[in-house]
Amino acid sequence: MAAPFPDDFLWGAATSAYQIEGSPLADGAGPSIWHRFAHTPGRVAGHDTGDLACDHYHRSLEDVALMAELGLSAYRFSLAWGRVLPEGRGAVNSRGLDFYERLVDALLEHGIQPMATLYHWDLPVALHERGGWLNPDSPHWFAEYAGTVFRALDDRVPLWITLNEPWVVTVPGYLDGQLAPGHRDLFEPPRVANHLLLAHAEAVAAYRALGRHRIGLAVNLEPQHPASPSPADLEAARRRDAFINRWFLDALVFGRYPEELADIFGPAWPEFSAESLAKIRCPGDFIGVNYYSRGLVRAAPEAPPLDAIRITPTDAELTAMDWEVYPEGLTETLLWLRDRYANPPLYITENGAAFDDPPPRDGLVEDPRRVAYLRAHIRAAATALEQGVDLRGYCVWSLLDNFEWAEGYSKRFGLYQVDPGDRTRRPKTSACFYREVIRSRGAAV
Ligand SMILES: N#[N+]C[C@@H]1[C@@H](O)[C@H](O)[C@@H](O)[C@@H]2O[C@H]12
């Protein structure tokens, strides 16, 4: 196929600190809520923790060499807040910053653009004990942390993401309790979400003070399709679209929350002042899109507060996460962003799939289903590009099999398999496929 991807299109892979680094308390680092959550019995499958993970903290240069072999032009990673500021505020841990400076310098030496995420869910415990994202001071804490990192790295990091998936921080973290900090409360999520948006805005302001212009926020998006044409299912899909797709982006771009949220949360939805709404209006310089699948939605009065649930289709291919393989939903999502938010610059900051990969044979792991998934989704991205979407990059989730949050190490998204024993990295055929895609600038899909 003719490759619509421009020569400066960024081909990347993505990871996050707690999921790959290991050594969460090494060299003066302070514990995060994920360190505490993973060490709480019953919270993570198989009692897995991020204590070792992929041991990236000691193998980062080896991993940069793998990225160079792939021919990546970008690498998206996150910084562990507690490595930089062990108490979340105040004293800087220079050994923590040194780790990230070495990583960034190695990436640049290999011609790989660093794309740094400031927050990928690992809030320092010291701040959580002060109320965490429920505390009205949390945006100021985040801006202090962001400013510390900008001053140390902004001369070498061209692309910044403030928050990864604030919706996941808010809903699994504070509404249904599946992820750290594991709260289950109807009144906390609206306040947490508002503080996250204020934190994003304060970090962007700190960044602008440096005179730079390539900062955004990464959101999880999935088109919501009614399971049937019934009015109840149509209404349920609309509500879930507001709840997942529009909650944060409408706030960032328009300075207002979708009206459905007041219906969904009822008395738990606060009255936000015009001043507060004006402060969260901060679209940044691009939108990061994390896309995995769509939502097939039916009305569910038995599932408050949304009264809608995502169902698993019986006649579709599913990943190991029981997510439908639905590449056309990526095109739909990118076109929706183009039309709703006036064609903003976009990066696909995560796209990938978990499958139950076989053991390696002669040092290679055969993963044809992941190859097919990536091929179909890169093609879907190309279709959106050809329709005028300002798409500037694509990152596979993930470079390495890693700690998949509450699923532990049971779900594997990597281009490289990580040996559960000695953490040896072994390429999968999807890594070979992606290397060819990058070499051909997308023509090989
Ligand atoms: N689940 N899943 C895979 C992947 C997760 O590993 C990332 O940390 C998140 O940003 C996002 O949820 C997507």
Side-chain angles (χ1 to χ4, degrees):
M1 67 178 287
F5 298 97
D7 289 350
D8 61 352
F9 188 83
L10 291 181
W11 295 100
T15 64
S16 85
Y18 189 76
Q19 293 181 271
I20 69 165
E21 288 178 0
S23 306
L25 305 179
D27 296 335
S32 76
I33 56 175
W34 262 97
H35 178 70
R36 174 178 284 185
F37 192 80
H39 282 271
T40 304
R43 290 295 199 175
V44 175
H47 308 294
D48 289 340
T49 74
D51 288 356
L52 182 55
C54 305
D55 195 27
H56 176 74
Y57 190 69
H58 296 110
R59 303 181 192 219
S60 58
L61 301 188
E62 171 191 342
D63 290 332
V64 172
L66 295 181
M67 300 175 209
E69 278 176 27
L70 283 174
L72 297 187
S73 50
Y75 171 57
R76 179 183 175 226
F77 64 97
S78 80
L79 291 93
W81 188 337
R83 283 200 199 286
V84 177
L85 299 172
E87 295 299 309
R89 311 159 61 228
V92 174
N93 176 31
S94 59
R95 290 178 295 174
L97 264 183
D98 288 349
F99 168 71
Y100 294 112
E101 295 203 58
R102 286 195 302 275
L103 172 62
V104 165
D105 290 343
L107 290 168
L108 294 174
E109 283 163 20
H110 287 83
I112 300 169
Q113 282 200 45
M115 177 187 271
T117 302
L118 289 168
Y119 187 69
H120 203 121
W121 307 355
D122 45 1
L123 184 74
V125 161
L127 296 182
H128 182 66
E129 288 175 346
R130 293 169 174 262
W133 291 113
L134 288 163
N135 189 318
D137 288 337
S138 51
H140 314 319
W141 304 336
F142 185 68
E144 176 188 343
Y145 159 57
T148 302
V149 172
F150 291 150
R151 283 188 294 277
L153 289 169
D154 188 55
D155 59 328
R156 289 161 279 174
V157 174
L159 279 164
W160 292 92
I161 290 167
T162 54
L163 306 170
N164 179 73
E165 300 192 351
W167 184 89
V168 175
V169 176
T170 302
V171 175
Y174 288 85
L175 182 61
D176 57 34
Q178 290 174 336
L179 301 183
H183 291 193
R184 295 169 60 91
D185 185 291
L186 188 63
F187 286 77
E188 291 184 352
R191 289 162 50 213
V192 164
N194 200 57
H195 291 155
L196 287 166
L197 286 159
L198 289 169
H200 164 79
E202 288 200 23
V204 171
Y207 181 72
R208 291 280 187 258
L210 298 171
R212 312 279 195 183
H213 297 284
R214 291 181 80 184
I215 192 166
L217 176 140
V219 287
N220 52 294
L221 296 175
E222 53 178 60
Q224 301 302 315
H225 296 158
S228 81
S230 71
D233 285 356
L234 286 167
E235 172 59 17
R238 187 178 66 81
R239 267 200 315 278
R240 201 162 187 270
D241 176 61
F243 184 62
I244 293 180
N245 296 325
R246 291 183 274 126
W247 185 346
F248 289 86
L249 288 180
D250 278 13
L252 277 182
V253 177
F254 303 136
R256 67 170 187 267
Y257 289 113
E259 61 189 19
E260 294 90 338
L261 291 176
D263 296 338
I264 290 165
F265 283 97
W269 186 258
E271 281 299 319
F272 293 104
S273 68
E275 181 196 2
S276 171
L277 291 172
K279 283 181 183 173
I280 62 175
R281 184 171 186 176
C282 178
D285 305 310
F286 63 85
I287 295 173
V289 180
N290 292 359
Y291 176 85
Y292 290 90
S293 184
R294 67 163 173 174
L296 195 61
V297 184
R298 74 163 174 82
E302 76 280 9
L306 205 52
D307 297 344
I309 58 170
R310 175 184 188 163
I311 62 173
T312 303
T314 54
D315 56 350
E317 182 188 1
L318 305 179
T319 71
M321 297 291 283
D322 279 342
W323 297 348
E324 181 183 5
V325 177
Y326 195 79
E328 51 270 52
L330 177 56
T331 306
E332 180 181 342
T333 297
L334 297 174
L335 295 177
W336 173 76
L337 288 164
R338 178 198 67 186
D339 298 341
R340 184 174 181 84
Y341 300 115
N343 203 17
L346 303 174
Y347 292 88
I348 295 170
T349 35
E350 290 181 25
N351 176 243
F355 293 110
D356 297 328
D357 302 318
R361 268 195 326 192
D362 302 326
L364 184 65
V365 178
E366 296 286 341
D367 65 337
R369 294 181 69 191
R370 189 173 288 102
V371 171
Y373 179 98
L374 295 178
R375 183 193 309 277
H377 285 79
I378 294 169
R379 281 180 172 165
T383 301
L385 257 173
E386 288 164 340
Q387 297 183 52
V389 168
D390 184 3
L391 183 63
R392 301 187 180 184
Y394 173 89
C395 290
V396 172
W397 183 272
S398 178
L399 176 73
L400 305 170
D401 289 346
N402 60 50
F403 178 81
E404 185 44 54
W405 308 115
E407 306 283 350
Y409 298 100
S410 68
K411 298 294 184 289
R412 302 182 183 92
F413 284 81
L415 294 168
Y416 287 82
Q417 190 173 75
V418 177
D419 185 285
D422 62 12
R423 282 6 193 214
T424 299
R425 281 76 162 133
R426 292 186 178 89
K428 302 179 187 176
T429 47
S430 55
C432 308
F433 164 74
Y434 193 47
R435 183 175 58 218
E436 190 51 26
V437 168
I438 296 170
R439 190 203 57 74
S440 68
R441 295 201 176 101
V445 297

